[in-house]
Amino acid sequence: MQTRIKINDAELLVNVEGSGVPIIAHHGAPGLSTHEEPKRAFGPLADKHQIVTFDARGSGASEAKPPYTHEQWVADIDAIREHFGFERFIMAGGSYGGFLSLEYAIRHPERVTHVILRDTAARDYGEQAKANALARAKEFPQITEEVLDHVFDGTMRDNEHYRECWEIIAPLYNVDYDPVAMAERIKSIPFNYETKNFAFAHNLPNYDVRDQLSKITVPVLITVGRHDWITPVEASEELHALLPNSELAIFENSGHSPQQEEAELWIATIRDFLERHGAYQG
């Protein structure tokens, strides 16, 4: 079921499916990704969970209403929780959505029962990601330092420029790159360069939650693709070392999206984690 809800003075597109233990799952890539990614990823869990996904403000079909700060996005998550009447819930997020999941759990530890992360980090890994991308420039010669600077510095000129840059770096994301499928996907993406620029130019340079991760004492599942270029395995290993009650699952045949590339194993890993950590008790 899709609906539009006024959240902190911005109208957001929200999707709800299933019933049971609540999960709020946050998409990645501000200004590019939408609720469709976590909706597909967590959909198989709708047999035991009420799954809430949404387009964050400034992304997808939600209102493009600043500010696009972490503080605002975390406040929006909590307002969605309150709207649905969840006293406690499972917080989930991948990539940039993982940043916000971690910040939510740090700010509202009493509201989360478990945290599920996918290909994310406790700090900005932009410089390492650039190096990883340039290492493949012979294979994909359109990947240049100039393009990567626009991506990571938040200097997109407009939505068409954002689209062009994304098309250039798209082959890096999956182990088995399908140019036809990716071209079709790019056609459907609702780009918002202003959201992306603010997130990368203003939020990421100040993003580092390593010294606060000890506040998250609930069970945390960290999942990552072995071949992830933008939030590499080292970022997940760092999370695992700093989160006091965490498990790390590395997906050997995936890049940035094990929820797509190894979907069945990824869902089975989450089910096992939640079963073992008491998600269905009480």
Side-chain angles (χ1 to χ4, degrees):
M1 178 190 75
Q2 271 190 18
T3 186
R4 300 189 72 84
I5 302 172
K6 200 77 166 180
I7 296 292
N8 293 329
D9 205 32
E11 192 174 88
L12 305 187
L13 177 70
V14 179
N15 186 83
V16 184
E17 58 184 31
S19 61
V21 179
I23 296 175
I24 299 179
H26 205 297
H27 65 76
L32 181 150
S33 189
T34 72
H35 77 281
E36 290 289 347
E37 178 270 312
K39 175 187 172 183
R40 286 192 299 270
F42 287 92
L45 297 177
D47 59 339
K48 288 190 174 183
H49 295 272
Q50 183 177 7
I51 301 164
V52 177
T53 56
F54 61 101
D55 294 355
R57 67 172 64 217
S59 293
S62 286
E63 190 174 358
K65 187 167 188 176
Y68 304 130
T69 61
H70 285 197
E71 290 79 6
Q72 184 63 65
W73 280 326
V74 168
D76 289 349
I77 296 169
D78 200 52
I80 289 170
R81 174 203 63 77
E82 187 174 17
H83 175 86
F84 286 99
F86 301 151
E87 285 299 315
R88 301 184 78 202
F89 68 98
I90 297 166
M91 183 73 234
S95 194
Y96 203 106
F99 304 164
L100 301 175
S101 297
L102 287 166
E103 292 213 32
Y104 183 89
I106 289 165
R107 294 174 193 226
H108 301 281
E110 77 285 359
R111 295 299 185 187
V112 295
T113 62
H114 306 73
V115 178
I116 299 170
L117 303 172
R118 191 266 305 160
D119 295 82
T120 193
R123 58 185 172 92
D124 181 16
Y125 269 76
E127 290 306 312
Q128 184 169 340
K130 285 183 189 179
N132 291 342
L134 289 172
R136 298 187 66 186
K138 286 186 178 180
E139 186 180 358
F140 303 107
Q142 287 183 296
I143 296 174
T144 64
E145 286 193 39
E146 181 183 4
V147 167
L148 294 169
D149 286 344
H150 284 304
V151 170
F152 287 98
D153 296 348
T155 55
M156 302 297 180
R157 294 187 294 270
D158 52 32
N159 287 340
E160 186 54 36
H161 186 218
Y162 192 3
R163 183 184 302 274
E164 290 169 1
C165 290
W166 171 250
E167 194 167 10
I168 288 169
I169 65 172
L172 299 173
Y173 281 87
N174 290 355
V175 170
D176 296 317
Y177 174 59
D178 183 340
V180 175
M182 184 57 72
E184 285 302 308
R185 183 190 168 202
I186 289 171
K187 288 179 185 177
S188 68
I189 292 174
F191 289 88
N192 185 328
Y193 80 101
E194 292 175 321
T195 309
K196 190 269 193 303
N197 281 353
F198 191 92
F200 277 68
H202 299 283
N203 295 343
L204 278 187
N206 301 307
Y207 174 68
D208 188 340
V209 296
R210 285 175 292 176
D211 63 349
Q212 300 180 72
L213 292 181
S214 61
K215 296 177 182 178
I216 305 175
T217 58
V218 298
V220 180
L221 175 63
I222 305 160
T223 67
V224 64
R226 172 65 73 185
H227 308 285
D228 189 345
W229 73 282
I230 193 166
T231 48
V233 169
E234 299 95 299
S236 287
E237 290 174 335
E238 183 174 63
L239 281 169
H240 182 39
L242 294 173
L243 285 160
N245 190 8
S246 65
E247 298 180 11
L248 173 61
I250 301 174
F251 292 80
E252 299 295 338
N253 298 308
S254 294
H256 191 60
S257 300
Q259 82 283 11
Q260 298 171 5
E261 296 172 271
E262 296 180 77
E264 289 187 10
L265 178 59
W266 190 76
I267 282 291
T269 302
I270 292 173
R271 285 192 189 276
D272 175 67
F273 168 79
L274 293 175
E275 288 276 3
R276 286 187 293 102
H277 289 281
Y280 311 115
Q281 295 175 1

